[in-house]
Amino acid sequence: KEEDSHTVVAAADQRQEGSLEAQMQRLQINAITEKKCCLRGIAPVSPSDVKICNDFIHKFIAVLTSIEDLSDSFTAATESTMVKFADVYSSKLEIVVSILLASGTQLILDGDNHSAR
């Protein structure tokens, strides 16, 4: 079973670069988090924490959107980020949520309701 999940993660990693939706989400999150004034509601955090959390978000979304089956994609996304981003899982999930809420809010304010979802 563990070998199967590693195979799913490896396949997802290969497909993630080609996923247009994942690339667009990465670009949108990057653009929003680079604009310090547009992070409405985000708690003050260090630039290094923002970077590690953005890297986590990009990897998680890339794997999540590269697999059609939702339960498989969530499992694969979690497994593909668990080791490299252990610090995020242990102490930075609030920052991740804050970044996602801030970026979603900005997208809604910009009239891009589809991407905000």
Side-chain angles (χ1 to χ4, degrees):
K1 178 87 179 178
E2 183 177 354
E3 187 172 308
D4 290 340
S5 66
H6 290 297
T7 303
V8 170
V9 171
D13 284 343
Q14 290 175 353
R15 289 188 301 266
Q16 78 180 13
E17 293 303 321
S19 170
L20 180 60
E21 182 178 344
Q23 290 174 2
M24 291 302 296
Q25 288 173 337
R26 283 193 295 270
L27 290 172
Q28 290 164 346
I29 291 170
N30 279 344
I32 290 166
T33 55
E34 287 172 2
K35 299 177 187 177
K36 304 282 187 234
C37 62
C38 295
L39 291 175
R40 289 169 176 75
I42 192 169
V45 293
S46 71
S48 62
D49 281 349
V50 171
K51 180 178 180 351
I52 190 83
C53 289
N54 276 332
D55 292 347
F56 166 80
I57 292 166
H58 296 151
K59 177 69 172 181
F60 194 93
I61 289 173
V63 175
L64 188 71
T65 59
S66 68
I67 301 172
E68 289 185 31
D69 182 87
L70 183 59
S71 64
D72 286 345
S73 67
F74 188 79
T75 301
T78 302
E79 289 176 355
S80 72
T81 55
M82 191 63 73
V83 174
K84 182 177 180 181
F85 298 101
D87 189 36
V88 173
Y89 280 102
S90 68
S91 64
K92 295 179 177 24
L93 284 178
E94 282 187 31
I95 297 170
V96 169
V97 170
S98 188
I99 289 170
L100 292 171
L101 287 172
S103 63
T105 299
Q106 185 61 49
L107 289 166
I108 289 170
L109 291 172
D110 293 342
D112 190 355
N113 294 345
H114 176 73
S115 295
R117 294 179 191 151

